[in-house]
Amino acid sequence: MPSLVPDRLLSMTDHNGILSDILRGTRFLLASDDVWINAELTQIQEELDALSQLFVLDPTELELYHLRAKYSAVKSPVYRLPPELMLDIFHWAAFWSPSQNILDPRSVPWTLGQVCARWREMALNCTSLWQTIVFTSPYPTHSGKILAQCLARSRDRPIDVSITFLNYENACRDILVECIRLLCVECRRWRRVQFDIPSIDHDMSELLGALHGKLPSLEGVYFFKLLSWTHRTPHSSPLDAVRAFLEAPLMKRADLRSLPFFKFPPSPIHLTHFGGNILQLSDVQRLSCLPSLVECHLCGPQIHIANAVVPITLANLRRLSVQSPCILQGLTTPNLTSLSLFPSRVSPHDLQAVQDFVARSACVIQILAISLPSLLLFLHPCFRDSHMRSIKRFCLSFYPEAGESTATFKLIASDVLPQIDVLTVVMYSPMSGLDLNLPGPKVAVEALMEMVAYRFEHAVENKVQKLGLLRICLCSDEILAVLRREGLARFEANGLVIEQSDYGKDKHWTGPFWFLEDDIPL
């Protein structure tokens, strides 16, 4: 169809190809382009003004409006951004997306393709946007088709998969099995897999049990909240399925805290990061098949001490957390630098276990974290040991209402742990906020401020390392405002760095939060 644009404006149609290239993202918008774009926009507007004087609808006017819209669109600053920078913005949008469910059309990257043709083309061609596949129940009926599209758009790149199943309806379960079956077809591309599923039935067990020897790219596997695992035949037993994951050639990280039934195979596994349950002290001996461990997190109830256990040595271990300090009786870690203790209660055996462990390992602890303020009082004698006085980062969890943290803060406001320069405080505050009219919170906050003053304002005269960073976790903006009014604002104005953090609430799935490179241990 011939153009209806007047002859005197036909020259600008020579630029239509350039405009299309810019809008599609195949050409940058250069500074020199502004000259001819502005000139031709002026000509278009003059012609439209002339046509507006007519009292009849001129078909030329419609094409001119379309041409003006095209010229105006290309002047947007977004077209000056290189594609690489645009893709970085896309990844940040995915990172902070309120919905991480790939089955939700309101989530990134689906919404990115609905802005304009250029964004759609870039989103479709950016395989990294489709490499993280996170989906949660309830699942829509067309989940299989959506998942197939994601797998196709990620092409042959490695994929991270996170599956959360909270809906026990049969319809959702059937859709989940369908999705797992689709994922198993692409199991050669799995890089990290997370199952947040309370129950794995015989259908899922058969699918997972058939993966042995088919996971060449798998580096990490994580199980959460798994309460039961049923199987139809011995060929699809849970142990075989888990070993299929652990014996993958590139496997490095595994969280098996939800699998208390699991026993390690006799051959060494080259895991560097591991989380598991210890039900009795002899279970610690199984860690001997993990000689490459760098980070280890052991959960389980308070262990009853029956007979002495010969400790095993984990020479490469750098970071360790235990729920029951008595677990330390079975370990020797000469190169440990980070220790986290989070028992539900404290006993005299815990103190003895920690003292013996530190003396036996002769390690230099630089990061210490505890979950109970009273535990610090129990462990006070350990801090006189030269191996513990090297601690530079300390993390303490407490409830302001309980009032038990006061004595702990006063202990920290002394020459105990003199090298601390980073302090992390995990506040389990009520949803209603921090009421300083109550005696417990008021005394706790006052003790916190005195401790920070001792460690920051009066560090030189007290002969302790000056506090450089105070990180406050699980603290709302309202509570942080209260703490600033009570004294933190003064410290901050004088140079103390204060960070607010919500650890354990990953915006984007990266595996268990305690595998992150940080000093937050819990």
Side-chain angles (χ1 to χ4, degrees):
M1 178 179 176
S3 174
L4 299 175
V5 178
D7 292 341
R8 60 183 176 278
L9 297 180
L10 281 177
S11 60
M12 69 180 61
T13 60
D14 296 336
H15 293 130
N16 272 344
I18 299 177
L19 289 176
S20 298
D21 289 342
I22 295 174
L23 291 172
R24 292 192 181 101
T26 58
R27 180 190 182 281
F28 294 124
L29 177 63
L30 306 176
S32 58
D33 294 329
D34 289 337
V35 178
W36 59 266
I37 290 176
N38 291 331
E40 294 180 4
L41 268 175
T42 301
Q43 293 184 53
I44 293 172
Q45 188 60 49
E46 290 175 353
E47 186 66 24
L48 285 172
D49 291 341
L51 289 173
S52 65
Q53 304 300 319
L54 303 176
F55 292 97
V56 295
L57 181 63
D58 192 317
T60 306
E61 191 172 1
L62 296 178
E63 186 166 347
L64 285 171
Y65 274 119
H66 175 73
L67 197 57
R68 184 180 67 174
K70 193 173 184 179
Y71 272 80
S72 299
V74 83
K75 286 173 62 66
S76 173
V78 72
Y79 290 106
R80 299 184 188 275
L81 296 177
E84 296 81 3
L85 185 55
M86 282 298 301
L87 293 179
D88 282 343
I89 295 174
F90 284 2
H91 285 109
W92 279 107
F95 186 88
W96 293 106
S97 174
S99 173
Q100 294 294 325
N101 188 2
I102 198 68
L103 304 179
D104 183 358
R106 298 168 299 178
S107 67
V108 177
W110 299 107
T111 51
L112 295 175
Q114 300 169 11
V115 175
C116 63
R118 181 191 183 217
W119 283 29
R120 175 176 173 78
E121 186 174 354
M122 292 180 67
L124 289 177
N125 293 326
C126 180
T127 56
S128 56
L129 283 176
W130 308 94
Q131 286 181 256
T132 300
I133 299 175
V134 180
F135 54 93
T136 60
S137 59
Y139 308 124
T141 55
H142 52 280
S143 298
K145 294 181 179 179
I146 296 177
L147 179 58
Q149 285 290 326
C150 295
L151 292 172
R153 293 176 183 181
S154 62
R155 298 173 187 170
D156 288 329
R157 300 289 296 276
I159 57 176
D160 298 331
V161 180
S162 176
I163 304 172
T164 301
F165 182 62
L166 305 176
N167 194 316
Y168 292 89
E169 295 180 4
N170 288 332
C172 283
R173 177 204 161 277
D174 293 340
I175 296 174
L176 173 63
V177 173
E178 178 191 1
C179 290
I180 293 179
R181 184 173 286 107
L182 286 172
L183 288 169
C184 286
V185 174
E186 300 291 337
C187 63
R188 62 180 177 79
R189 298 200 284 133
W190 291 5
R191 180 172 57 185
R192 291 177 294 188
V193 184
Q194 173 176 296
F195 296 96
D196 191 351
I197 303 176
S199 170
I200 291 183
D201 61 18
H202 50 77
D203 290 331
M204 299 181 206
S205 185
E206 285 187 356
L207 289 170
L208 299 179
L211 298 178
H212 197 280
K214 301 178 182 179
L215 302 168
S217 303
L218 190 64
E219 299 175 5
V221 60
Y222 318 104
F223 288 95
F224 292 133
K225 302 176 185 176
L226 185 59
L227 303 179
S228 66
W229 191 326
T230 59
H231 51 96
R232 184 180 289 118
T233 67
H235 300 291
S236 60
S237 70
L239 294 181
D240 289 339
V242 176
R243 285 173 179 169
F245 291 116
L246 292 183
E247 294 176 3
L250 299 182
M251 174 58 64
K252 295 297 182 184
R253 302 183 174 206
D255 176 13
L256 306 181
R257 291 175 296 170
S258 295
L259 305 178
F261 56 79
F262 178 70
K263 297 179 185 291
F264 293 108
S267 59
I269 302 176
H270 299 292
L271 290 177
T272 58
H273 297 66
F274 173 74
N277 279 287
I278 300 296
L279 302 182
Q280 52 189 357
L281 200 54
S282 59
D283 290 344
V284 180
Q285 302 293 315
R286 300 175 187 167
L287 297 176
S288 60
C289 69
L290 305 176
S292 302
L293 273 187
V294 174
E295 183 170 340
C296 185
H297 303 266
L298 303 175
C299 299
Q302 196 77 7
I303 295 176
H304 175 68
I305 304 174
N307 300 315
V309 175
V310 178
I312 64 169
T313 299
L314 296 176
N316 296 312
L317 196 66
R318 299 292 188 274
R319 189 171 180 185
L320 172 66
S321 71
V322 294
Q323 185 174 358
S324 173
C326 291
I327 293 175
L328 298 175
Q329 288 185 266
L331 294 173
T332 300
T333 57
N335 294 304
L336 192 73
T337 59
S338 174
L339 177 63
S340 304
L341 307 170
F342 51 103
S344 55
R345 55 188 176 87
V346 182
S347 71
H349 296 296
D350 297 327
L351 172 60
Q352 190 62 47
V354 175
Q355 286 180 319
D356 293 345
F357 168 76
V358 172
R360 181 174 63 251
S361 298
C363 52
V364 180
I365 304 293
Q366 296 183 359
I367 302 174
L368 175 68
I370 61 175
S371 62
L372 294 176
S374 57
L375 182 60
L376 182 63
L377 303 179
F378 268 88
L379 298 178
H380 183 200
C382 295
F383 298 145
R384 298 301 177 185
D385 191 295
S386 60
H387 302 300
M388 300 290 281
R389 291 178 67 82
S390 59
I391 293 172
K392 296 181 178 180
R393 298 187 178 190
F394 182 69
C395 176
L396 173 68
S397 304
F398 75 101
Y399 293 85
E401 294 75 21
E404 62 176 359
S405 56
T406 304
T408 306
F409 285 139
K410 290 183 178 180
L411 180 62
I412 301 175
S414 67
D415 61 351
V416 173
L417 306 178
Q419 300 300 319
I420 292 178
D421 61 358
V422 177
L423 176 64
T424 300
V425 177
V426 183
M427 295 182 60
Y428 296 103
S429 302
M431 297 297 293
S432 57
L434 194 61
D435 188 357
L436 295 185
N437 293 320
L438 299 177
K442 181 176 178 60
V443 173
V445 170
E446 289 176 351
L448 174 62
M449 297 306 158
E450 291 176 4
M451 181 269 294
V452 175
Y454 182 94
R455 291 276 176 176
F456 178 69
E457 291 184 328
H458 308 295
V460 176
E461 57 195 84
N462 292 322
K463 298 180 180 180
V464 295
Q465 176 68 35
K466 185 176 182 179
L467 192 65
L469 170 63
L470 175 63
R471 181 184 290 114
I472 303 178
C473 300
L474 298 183
C475 176
S476 65
D477 293 336
E478 293 76 11
I479 293 178
L480 186 59
V482 172
L483 296 177
R484 281 196 166 102
R485 288 197 300 270
E486 293 299 314
L488 285 189
R490 183 179 82 249
F491 303 136
E492 198 170 18
N494 290 326
L496 177 63
V497 178
I498 297 177
E499 289 184 0
Q500 184 180 9
S501 174
D502 289 326
Y503 71 88
K505 299 181 180 179
D506 296 334
K507 292 290 186 181
H508 195 260
W509 179 74
T510 55
F513 57 85
W514 39 253
F515 279 166
L516 300 179
E517 296 300 327
D518 198 354
D519 61 311
I520 303 296
L522 304 179

